[in-house]
Amino acid sequence: MEHRLEEPQLPAPRGPLSSAVEEYLRGTGPLPAPGQVAAAPVYGDDLQLALYLCYELHYRGFAGVAPDLEWDPELLRTRAALEARFLTALRADVPRHDGVDDALAPILVEPVDGTGVSHFLQDEGELWHVREYAAQRSLYHLKEADPHAWVLPRLQGRAKAAMAAVEFDEYGGGRPDRVHARLFADLMADLGLDTTYGRYLDAACAELLVTVNLMSLFGLHRSLRGALVGHFAAVEITSSPGSRRLAEAMRRTGAGPAAEHFYDEHVEADAVHEQVVRHDVIGGLLEDEPHLAPDIAFGVDATVFVEDRLGDRLLCDWRAGRSSLRTPLPQEFTHAS
């Protein structure tokens, strides 16, 4: 099953920033004042949703929003102010490593006693946890690989060729039925979730919005191309072992064959991608632009930071027996046949 190709609906605002951005997108009000941008909690729902709305214009847009607003000068100025706060906070808050190898070293070794989300889902997660996890992650996985494609014209030679090869795999190797975004839509259908692009934006927590905004921030700025490559490396390195645990969680909870297949596919594919990204994408980029090494390390470290924040939020809610979603999913559902 493929997710339906339609523009998503604008979500409910989460505060004055996102409300003002939505009103501007609808043509019914002004953008937020600089003081509002400066006052909002940087990792909070309101600022992160406002930034997500700006970024989404570069992907699918929203129903009823003019496509030309993607390059509206006033909206871009507001986006830049939101981004400046986000990036400044990340540079201040992310624990940093001195070099690329130092940044990669901690994620190249699996902990003996892992305690993250994939460990929880594998060992003790219930079907409702799996469904919530899929709903949250759908904000990225239904556009999987798209944020990373922005970096291709900013690379050259070995780095470009290797990055294009990995992206080709992410897009199904020329086969539409194997595009990873479609495979995730099939997973969602197995779990009785709505496969419409952007359907769970209203429900997703702020910590999830941060993870998606991070890759858009890095992808849309040529000056952050090194950070985007670092982000991609962190994702690919941690994906294979994490996907192995998630595949087991899908089997144990009876999520369905498409749900199992999505993560089984990533176990094998991303084990190969990890090597390509480390040796050819990062290696090639450092050969061409060695001064980007600190940016690559920052991209790795920032990815670990935001993913850890998301994991802490999910596990805190689940261990307390409550939903991680702003709007809990219906408990009754029908598996896709």
Side-chain angles (χ1 to χ4, degrees):
M1 176 183 294
E2 190 163 10
H3 49 277
R4 295 189 289 275
L5 293 177
E6 58 187 51
E7 293 175 332
Q9 299 296 314
L10 282 167
R14 303 187 187 184
L17 285 182
S18 51
S19 179
V21 170
E22 288 201 18
E23 289 179 8
Y24 189 81
L25 294 179
R26 290 192 174 100
T28 59
L31 287 163
Q36 290 177 293
V37 175
V42 69
Y43 301 119
D45 280 293
D46 193 26
L47 188 146
Q48 290 297 322
L49 179 59
L51 186 54
Y52 189 98
L53 295 171
C54 294
Y55 283 148
E56 191 56 36
L57 299 180
H58 298 289
Y59 297 104
R60 295 278 188 87
F62 293 99
V65 174
D68 287 347
L69 284 174
E70 178 182 4
W71 300 111
D72 179 84
E74 295 302 319
L75 189 60
L76 289 175
R77 271 190 279 273
T78 295
R79 194 191 92 184
L82 296 168
E83 288 177 323
R85 288 218 53 217
F86 187 29
L87 186 56
T88 298
L90 289 169
R91 293 198 184 280
D93 297 340
V94 171
R96 304 287 290 275
H97 289 91
D98 293 333
V100 175
D101 289 342
D102 290 337
L104 292 175
I107 60 174
L108 285 169
V109 179
E110 277 278 282
V112 176
D113 298 314
T115 58
V117 170
S118 64
H119 294 87
F120 173 87
L121 292 175
Q122 173 188 250
D123 297 336
E124 55 186 297
E126 300 176 19
L127 189 58
W128 72 272
H129 297 125
V130 168
R131 296 181 73 230
E132 284 201 0
Y133 185 73
Q136 297 264 23
R137 288 294 193 183
S138 68
L139 269 65
Y140 166 64
H141 280 302
L142 289 182
K143 60 184 175 197
E144 184 169 340
D146 291 350
H148 304 110
W150 300 113
V151 82
L152 281 169
R154 295 158 184 170
L155 303 176
Q156 63 179 354
R158 182 157 67 104
K160 180 191 284 278
M163 187 73 187
V166 175
E167 288 284 274
F168 184 65
D169 283 350
E170 301 284 349
Y171 291 130
R175 292 178 53 182
D177 59 310
R178 296 187 63 179
V179 172
H180 285 189
R182 176 169 176 174
L183 296 181
F184 195 80
D186 294 341
L187 171 151
M188 295 177 72
D190 261 6
L191 292 169
L193 298 172
D194 189 335
T195 64
T196 304
Y197 180 92
R199 165 64 178 80
Y200 295 102
L201 175 54
D202 262 326
C205 62
E207 290 81 0
L208 188 284
L209 297 183
V210 169
T211 67
V212 183
N213 283 341
L214 181 76
M215 58 186 87
S216 295
L217 170 69
F218 290 165
L220 286 167
H221 289 269
R222 188 175 67 85
S223 62
L224 294 172
R225 61 194 179 280
L228 189 282
V229 167
H231 175 276
F232 194 55
V235 169
E236 295 300 318
I237 288 169
T238 57
S239 175
S240 184
S243 293
R244 184 176 291 106
R245 289 187 288 271
L246 291 169
E248 178 56 33
M250 299 299 151
R251 278 185 278 273
R252 190 176 59 76
T253 58
E260 295 173 21
H261 175 66
F262 177 81
Y263 288 110
D264 283 335
E265 169 76 11
H266 282 71
V267 171
E268 181 177 349
D270 290 344
V272 176
H273 293 169
E274 173 203 335
Q275 299 297 318
V276 175
V277 173
R278 285 173 57 204
H279 296 295
D280 294 319
V281 180
I282 291 179
L285 181 58
L286 288 176
E287 284 179 0
D288 295 331
E289 301 184 272
H291 63 281
L292 292 181
D295 289 348
I296 297 172
F298 172 61
V300 174
D301 291 334
T303 303
V304 172
F305 174 74
V306 301
E307 288 292 334
D308 283 350
R309 290 183 75 257
L310 174 61
D312 289 345
R313 167 64 188 272
L314 297 180
L315 291 177
C316 179
D317 285 337
W318 291 343
R319 293 192 187 283
R322 61 177 178 260
S323 173
S324 67
L325 296 167
R326 291 167 55 85
T327 306
L329 298 170
Q331 293 186 359
E332 299 297 326
F333 73 98
T334 302
H335 273 293
S337 57

